[in-house]
Amino acid sequence: MIVYYRDPAVEVTSTAIHIHDRVFRLEELEYVWHREITADPRSMRRLAGRGALNAGVVVGAVLALLGLIYLVAATVGDPGAAGRVLVPLAIVVLLVGLAGPALEWTLHRLDHSYDQGISMHEIWAVWRGRELLLLRVADESRFGRIYRSIQRALEQHR
């Protein structure tokens, strides 16, 4: 038996598809297809969150650039400003050092939101002569892995 895909809820093997506690033997599946349905409210919140993260990264970069320009201009304009600039410069360096983990988390969340997509995906099959919804997922990359594994299993089975 070959395992094409496995996660806690779904397992696709060379003999059957296991979804939660249900088992669909490959020889009982006549036809399998997928469908994309309209986004649910969670997906729309994910899209809004993605926009907020993008805006936050851009605004943060612009503010950091403006702060550095201000510090350079203050130092060049007044020769005695070196002492007054050291404290704000130390604060800026500290904030930049702390911004790394925050930026890493923000970019990770942004990547994750793009991986999930904003649509719901369904996998349908004709099983024992009737149409049946096998699975509905919001995570686009997970959907792709599951659907491709089902296709491979069916191709190898037939």
Side-chain angles (χ1 to χ4, degrees):
M1 178 176 71
I2 300 170
V3 176
Y4 292 99
Y5 178 83
R6 179 183 293 152
D7 69 20
V10 177
E11 181 180 60
V12 179
T13 68
S14 56
T15 58
I17 301 169
H18 305 262
I19 299 175
H20 301 290
D21 293 330
R22 300 170 18 200
V23 177
F24 304 97
R25 300 200 51 78
L26 294 182
E27 59 264 7
E28 295 175 341
L29 296 175
E30 296 174 33
Y31 184 70
V32 176
W33 72 96
H34 66 89
R35 193 166 69 177
E36 186 175 317
I37 61 174
T38 58
D40 65 341
R42 287 183 306 172
S43 298
M44 298 317 277
R45 283 193 304 269
R46 198 167 37 244
L47 181 62
R50 183 187 304 165
L53 287 173
N54 280 330
V57 168
V58 170
V59 168
V62 168
L63 289 177
L65 183 64
L66 288 175
L68 287 174
I69 290 172
Y70 172 76
L71 285 175
V72 169
T75 303
V76 172
D78 184 10
R84 291 191 307 253
V85 171
L86 284 178
V87 172
L89 185 59
I91 292 172
V92 167
V93 168
L94 180 67
L95 288 177
V96 167
L98 294 176
L103 187 59
E104 177 69 27
W105 177 84
T106 302
L107 292 176
H108 172 72
R109 295 298 307 155
L110 196 58
D111 282 347
H112 184 65
S113 75
Y114 278 105
D115 285 344
Q116 286 188 325
I118 59 168
S119 301
M120 294 290 288
H121 299 277
E122 296 179 338
I123 299 175
W124 288 79
V126 176
W127 179 66
R128 295 181 180 169
R130 60 186 177 117
E131 290 185 4
L132 179 70
L133 173 64
L134 297 179
L135 184 66
R136 178 181 291 143
V137 294
D139 187 334
E140 192 168 335
S141 63
R142 180 173 176 244
F143 160 77
R145 289 190 304 270
I146 293 170
Y147 191 71
R148 281 190 303 276
S149 68
I150 291 172
Q151 286 178 321
R152 284 193 307 272
L154 288 171
E155 287 170 0
Q156 294 300 319
H157 187 269
R158 297 193 172 123

